[in-house]
Amino acid sequence: MRRIVILGMGYAATAFATLAQTRGWCTIGTKRQAAQAATTLPCVPFDEAADILAAATHILISTPPGADGDPAYLRYAAAIRAAPQLHWIGYYSTTGVYGDQGGARVDEKTTPAPAQNRSIARLDAENAWRNLARERAIACDVMRLGGIYGPGRSALDALRNGTARIIDAPDHCFSRIHRQDIAEGTLAAIETARDIRILNFTDRLPSPQRDVFAEAARLLDCPMPPAMPLAAAWPEMSEMARSFWSERRQVDSRWTEASLHRRWRYPTYREGLAAILHDV
């Protein structure tokens, strides 16, 4: 029996767990609190995962680093080292580890250059999990995710609920990935696992934010709110938002698609938004 433990059942990891279950996997995840663990998917509180890790054949880590580092690594590295049936470790990281590239294209072979504290922490976590996998002589996939969108979290939703804040910054092209492509890509990573890989989970069309909202407005047949120049929006931005807008890069994932033997289901935001609108 293939048993996967998912440390951190967030938005993307939940989609993967749902897909894995339909493919016959035994899946169990963790939530931070006991009350949160009561979901339609099998979950336990994060602090009570030692026993399920001992029986895991595969482990996916989706917990973000905290001030002290990766909570999953800090709490469970020893247990994972000792898991007797373990074949694969997957880690959800971020394309933020590439840092500011001045809008240049990066790929899986590009040397990371993080400048933001949270991206530095992500790279530290990547290296920790890769080193653990080397110690165990098992496969490990570090999946660097672009901006995640999907049902309930898209430009369509922002336009519908009136929270859309559109920045006119045509030189800022962001890379995105639909939640379903994360789920299917993760399963493909397991099925093609070999050695230790860096995988970029980003679609084929890095684009300005305004273009995405324009497409969403077209699909909804609604007016697009006025856009604000980046310089005008900057003073009102949170520190997190400023860090997001202070870096420019375009992430290439062609090697990842070839390595996984699959193409993205939603190769651009256009197909992804249309699928969300029609609930497919």
Side-chain angles (χ1 to χ4, degrees):
M1 170 68 72
R2 298 183 298 177
R3 306 177 192 276
I4 186 159
V5 173
I6 303 162
L7 296 175
M9 286 281 278
Y11 181 70
T14 298
F16 165 70
T18 302
L19 176 63
Q21 277 196 334
T22 68
R23 302 289 177 84
W25 283 74
C26 175
T27 67
I28 187 165
T30 70
K31 293 280 189 177
R32 290 181 183 178
Q33 305 295 334
Q36 293 178 317
T39 69
T40 56
L41 294 166
C43 284
V44 300
F46 177 78
D47 291 334
E48 300 175 15
D51 288 343
I52 61 174
L53 285 168
T57 60
H58 299 73
I59 294 173
L60 174 65
I61 301 97
S62 183
T63 51
D68 298 325
D70 183 343
Y73 188 87
L74 292 170
R75 184 167 185 86
Y76 291 119
I80 292 171
R81 282 191 182 93
Q85 303 175 71
L86 188 61
H87 300 306
W88 178 85
I89 294 173
Y91 179 65
Y92 282 164
S93 186
T94 169
T95 56
V97 299
Y98 292 116
D100 180 26
Q101 299 287 336
R105 214 162 183 89
V106 299
D107 61 22
E108 297 85 354
K109 305 301 181 185
T110 300
T111 301
Q116 309 289 342
N117 287 337
R118 68 180 186 278
S119 297
I120 293 170
R122 285 285 191 181
L123 184 59
D124 289 342
E126 285 186 11
N127 290 332
W129 291 114
R130 291 166 70 186
N131 288 336
L132 193 155
R134 288 190 185 98
E135 292 174 24
R136 286 291 312 269
I138 60 175
C140 176
D141 285 315
V142 171
M143 292 162 276
R144 293 174 176 164
L145 310 181
I148 303 169
Y149 74 102
R153 295 191 185 184
S154 74
L156 296 166
D157 300 283
L159 287 174
R160 282 167 169 158
N161 61 32
T163 60
R165 189 180 188 190
I166 301 168
I167 308 297
D168 187 10
D171 292 336
H172 281 67
C173 291
F174 299 109
S175 298
R176 301 167 181 81
I177 190 72
H178 191 287
R179 181 175 73 160
Q180 188 63 21
D181 272 319
I182 297 175
E184 294 177 9
T186 303
L187 198 59
I190 293 172
E191 292 169 348
T192 61
R194 60 181 186 278
D195 302 323
I196 295 172
R197 296 182 295 187
I198 299 295
L199 303 172
N200 285 340
F201 279 31
T202 58
D203 70 23
R204 301 177 199 160
L205 188 63
S207 305
Q209 181 227 42
R210 182 174 180 172
D211 290 2
V212 179
F213 275 105
E215 177 65 8
R218 186 190 70 80
L219 289 170
L220 292 174
D221 193 22
C222 73
M224 191 168 81
M228 180 181 295
L230 179 58
W234 191 267
E236 301 177 3
M237 285 184 177
S238 66
E239 183 178 348
M240 177 68 78
R242 287 180 179 179
S243 68
F244 177 76
W245 284 97
S246 66
E247 296 184 345
R248 293 188 300 132
R249 60 185 166 268
Q250 298 187 45
V251 183
D252 190 306
S253 64
R254 286 175 293 181
W255 185 88
T256 293
E257 288 188 88
S259 185
L260 298 181
H261 303 151
R262 72 180 299 274
R263 292 182 176 271
W264 301 126
R265 179 179 293 273
Y266 306 112
T268 80
Y269 62 84
R270 298 186 185 103
E271 294 87 357
L273 289 176
I276 296 168
L277 180 65
H278 297 101
D279 194 28
V280 297

